[in-house]
Every structure is written in structure tokens, then in C-alpha cells.
Amino acid sequence: MRSLCLFAAACVALAFSSSASAQQFIYTPKNPAFGGSPLNYSWMLSSAQAQNDLGEDGSSAFTRDPL
């Protein structure tokens, strides 16, 4: 029984070690200020403006007192 378990463990270890592979990750910046494509500028600006929760006077809804 013990030799069967050792044989099964060796087979599993061999199967996992032969199928392991890796890939190379390459960083490409998106922001034009940090070396990204200048064509991304309008998309990044519109995305930032859509997420902006400040009002015209610079105050957000979370800083105003409801009372």
C-alpha cells in the first residue's frame, strides 16, 4: 500500500512538472504623460471627468451637511 501511494505521488509530481510553463509579461503604459500613446489622452480625460463627483464650486455631496 505504501509503495502504491509513493508511485501515485511520483506520477502526480511528474505530470505537474512537465506541464508547467510561463509567459513573459511586458508593461505598456496607458497614460500619455508616462510614455503611453497620445491617442489615449481624450479617452482618459473623459473617463476622469465621468468619475469626478465634485460640483461646480469644488465641494462634493459628501462634504455638505444635510442639516
Side-chain angles (χ1 to χ4, degrees), residues 28-48:
T28 55
K30 302 291 184 214
N31 192 338
F34 298 113
S37 173
L39 301 175
N40 290 339
Y41 179 76
S42 62
W43 173 77
M44 292 187 75
L45 181 62
S46 65
S47 176

Side-chain angles (χ1 to χ4, degrees), residues 25-67:
F25 292 110
I26 299 173
Y27 170 74
T28 55
K30 302 291 184 214
N31 192 338
F34 298 113
S37 173
L39 301 175
N40 290 339
Y41 179 76
S42 62
W43 173 77
M44 292 187 75
L45 181 62
S46 65
S47 176
Q49 288 174 341
Q51 295 175 28
N52 187 7
D53 64 344
L54 295 177
E56 290 292 324
D57 59 350
S59 63
S60 70
F62 298 112
T63 59
R64 286 183 271 151
D65 188 19
L67 299 176

